[in-house]
Amino acid sequence: MASVTLKEVSKSFGAFDVLQSIDLTIEDGEFIVFVGPSGCGKSTLLRAIAGLVPVSKGDVFIGGEQVTDVPASKRGIAFVFQSYALYPHMNVARNISFALETARMAKAEIRQRLTRVADMLKIGHLLDRRPKQLSGGQRQRVAIGRALVSQPQLFLFDEPLSNLDADLRMEMRFEIAKLHAEIGTTMIYVTHDQTEAMTLADRIVILNHGRIEQVGTPRELYDRPANRFVAGFLGSPRMNFAPVHTDTSSGLLHGPSGFVFATSGTGSSQPVTLGLRPEALEIVEAGTAQSISGTFERAEDLGYEHIAYVRLSDDLVWTIRSTEPLSGHARGQAVGLGWQIKDLYLFNEAGIRVDVEAARGPVVAVQS
Amino acid sequence: MTQTSDRYSNRTYRRLKALKRIGLYAGVTLVLIYMLFPYYWAIISSTKTRESLYSFSLVPSLDFSNYISLFNNPIFMGAIVNSAIIAISSSVLSLVISLLAAYALGRLHFKLSRIILICVLMISVFPQVVVLSGMFEVIGWLGFYNRPAALIFSYLLLILPFTTWVLTSFIRDLPVELEEAALIDGCSRMRILTHVLLPLMGPAIASTGLLAFILAWNEFLFALTFILTDENRTVPVAIGLLTGSSRYEYPFGQIMAASVTVTLPLLILVLIFQRKIVAGLTSGAVKG
Ligand SMILES: Nc1ncnc2c1ncn2[C@@H]1O[C@H](COP(=O)(O)OP(=O)(O)OP(=O)(O)O)[C@@H](O)[C@H]1O
Ligand SMILES: [Mg+2]
């Protein structure tokens, strides 16, 4: 078990800066998830921690010791690859015990550890098979077994479930959570599946363009996103945004038609964008007080939830999510979208979230 | 609606299909005859007596006197042993060297690797005659003249570019993550090569090794130039220098018998490794 500290870690491939001055502290025993759009540098950051790619600048500490130049095999880590990277020519037993064999561990001890890991992952009956004779889920278990057997102080996972189908993914997600609860080793997990991130993580690290956008518990990131990027990244369907502007004379914030919000006045952090999550919206009669007006586009029934699309303007369509059916409106019918101040997010020019209560003016929103 | 008016009846299409198949087999047969006839001709000629040699006949006459006199020829038998030693050692040696080179060129990223690969490719483009005299000097300096070492050494020059190139592209095709996994498992570069990459390269090694062997086994020019005495000759030269019972007789039957004899090991090897060769050659080509 070990903590991990990154100090101003940067990585460039040629002139291309993949990671830019990453500072991060991971506590001993934490389950940390890196998420971010494709190409944002998640894998590179994980590989830098593993020692598979050298960092260009900055320092990496594992368990309080500086390991920036220590080779991967001496960092006490285990890595689970997206493609599993099992040795195709070795059977499952040898795949798992190869690291121990390389370290010249005694045969008896190897066998003992192998049995324990195989029992834990329920792969005892597969030990004689080659990787290509295994299903995707079984390969995944073997890959985790290979990581477990060397009893690392830090587990690194790079999108381990992305090659599995939805059912199996859920099952393995549960298993990984269980594994963490059992052994309590620090784990860093890369994914771009936000369900995995939200369900597994003690804390989530959101990356974008090689920078950390925000670090926090899933709840914190969801309820209090630091900026527009984080707000738009977490949540499915994603948050609805619309441009707003402040009328300097009245102090009223104008947005999509029907939206009015009184601000406390002018300042450097004038909101320019508003955000409302799909589940915070409600379809109401057109013209209802305090509602945003639009025209109904279409409804989707997913069984357990219902999604509707409402057009606010030519290039702006908002999503509404509800557990209640949202059909019953004709395409093109004028509707209103009800919302509440507690669900409102505002973002300034730089995309930073503006605290709604602080921005709120003395006049409670009035209808125009 | 799709257009259905200008089509033939189903029966016509069925006949057309049959016709196409007949055409295909006829074509394949023609090509096979074209390719196999020289070998067949050599086999027939080798079993003909001296008298019937110049009469045209497509059936073998099953007279093995040529083979018997060939196997009683100490120079030829010695040449087979020489050839075997030289071909095996040069192909094994080139496999070992090119495997190490290929790992470095294909995986360890250093600036020169591209340039080196291009040089390697260029070397393999030179015709043998170009390097002949330079090679002659080098072999003289090394004191290898008229020794099997001269041929092993010079064949490396012929074989290495090709084996290095093929193995490099093969190594590049292997997933990097496999190696990273091995690195994390604590393997040294050498152990990665021997325990992870090598077992996966069976097809590539078999195919390049075999082609290297064939190249060395059949080589004529260097073998003729660098070897002086009969007891050190290799097979292709020995065959070329076979003499009949008199100076003026060209021992055509014996030469054919010798050719058939030395082709046999190659054929057997190719048949044994046939699957792997195809797999090895295509995996590099298709993915690379
Ligand atoms: N060896 C390399 N040489 C050059 N550029 C690289 C190299 N490895 C990664 N990159 C670049 O670095 C950026 C980040 O790559 P990385 O693999 O970390 O992304 P990621 O966040 O893991 O994306 P994904 O979700 O698609 O896996 C990408 O733009 C990629 O093209
Ligand atoms: Mg990645």
Side-chain angles (χ1 to χ4, degrees), chain A residues 144-328:
Chain A
I144 292 176
R146 186 171 65 176
L148 268 176
V149 81
S150 53
Q151 303 180 346
Q153 47 176 347
L154 174 63
F155 273 96
L156 305 172
F157 295 88
D158 192 356
E159 304 199 28
L161 306 186
S162 59
N163 287 344
L164 303 179
D165 62 44
D167 267 354
L168 206 51
R169 204 185 278 201
M170 200 147 135
E171 188 187 321
M172 288 308 297
R173 198 172 75 207
F174 179 78
E175 299 259 331
I176 290 176
K178 202 175 86 186
L179 184 72
H180 182 247
E182 273 169 29
I183 62 175
T185 311
T186 318
M187 293 188 177
I188 307 180
Y189 187 105
V190 166
T191 180
H192 53 230
D193 178 323
Q194 50 168 299
T195 319
E196 279 171 32
M198 296 297 281
T199 52
L200 286 173
D202 291 328
R203 282 193 302 154
I204 296 179
V205 175
I206 297 197
L207 289 163
N208 189 26
H209 294 307
R211 289 176 197 281
I212 293 183
E213 293 279 350
Q214 193 175 0
V215 183
T217 64
R219 201 64 268 164
E220 273 167 17
L221 298 197
Y222 195 77
D223 290 343
R224 292 195 300 283
N227 52 44
R228 198 188 145 162
F229 177 82
V230 175
F233 191 80
L234 291 180
S236 165
R238 60 187 225 112
M239 185 184 275
N240 297 302
F241 294 104
V244 291
H245 65 269
T246 313
D247 185 332
T248 38
S249 59
S250 65
L252 288 181
L253 198 60
H254 292 276
S257 66
F259 174 89
V260 182
F261 180 76
T263 63
S264 52
T266 53
S268 60
S269 59
Q270 283 297 320
V272 298
T273 310
L274 74 82
L276 282 164
R277 291 203 185 272
E279 59 271 27
L281 293 168
E282 171 186 29
I283 297 186
V284 295
E285 290 273 319
T288 307
Q290 286 284 7
S291 75
I292 299 169
S293 48
T295 56
F296 193 83
E297 280 274 315
R298 82 182 233 104
E300 286 171 355
D301 182 350
L302 302 178
Y304 58 95
E305 69 174 11
H306 302 265
I307 311 278
Y309 300 92
V310 170
R311 183 171 291 281
L312 300 194
S313 68
D314 286 345
D315 51 4
L316 193 61
V317 175
W318 274 18
T319 319
I320 294 92
R321 193 177 72 150
S322 164
T323 49
E324 302 300 318
L326 292 168
S327 47

Side-chain angles (χ1 to χ4, degrees), chain A residues 38-39 41-44 47 82 158-159 190 192:
Chain A
S38 190
K42 307 181 289 290
S43 298
T44 309
R47 275 157 196 271
Q82 180 176 1
D158 192 356
E159 304 199 28
V190 166
H192 53 230

Side-chain angles (χ1 to χ4, degrees), chain A residues 127-147:
Chain A
L127 291 181
D128 293 328
R129 298 215 202 152
R130 292 283 177 89
K132 69 163 171 265
Q133 299 166 312
L134 301 176
S135 71
Q138 290 169 335
R139 280 179 212 183
Q140 183 57 65
R141 280 169 201 272
V142 175
I144 292 176
R146 186 171 65 176

Side-chain angles (χ1 to χ4, degrees), chain B residues 154-211:
Chain B
S154 57
Y155 289 174
L156 284 184
L157 185 79
L158 297 182
I159 299 170
L160 271 179
F162 151 75
T163 48
T164 307
W165 190 266
V166 173
L167 292 182
T168 303
S169 69
F170 196 86
I171 283 189
R172 283 206 173 145
D173 281 350
L174 293 175
V176 187
E177 296 188 343
L178 221 50
E179 256 169 85
E180 291 177 335
L183 273 181
I184 289 177
D185 278 351
C187 295
S188 63
R189 289 284 175 194
M190 202 58 204
R191 190 170 161 89
I192 292 180
L193 191 60
T194 55
H195 280 71
V196 178
L197 296 185
L198 208 57
L200 296 177
M201 291 179 70
I205 303 261
S207 58
T208 48
L210 189 60
L211 289 174

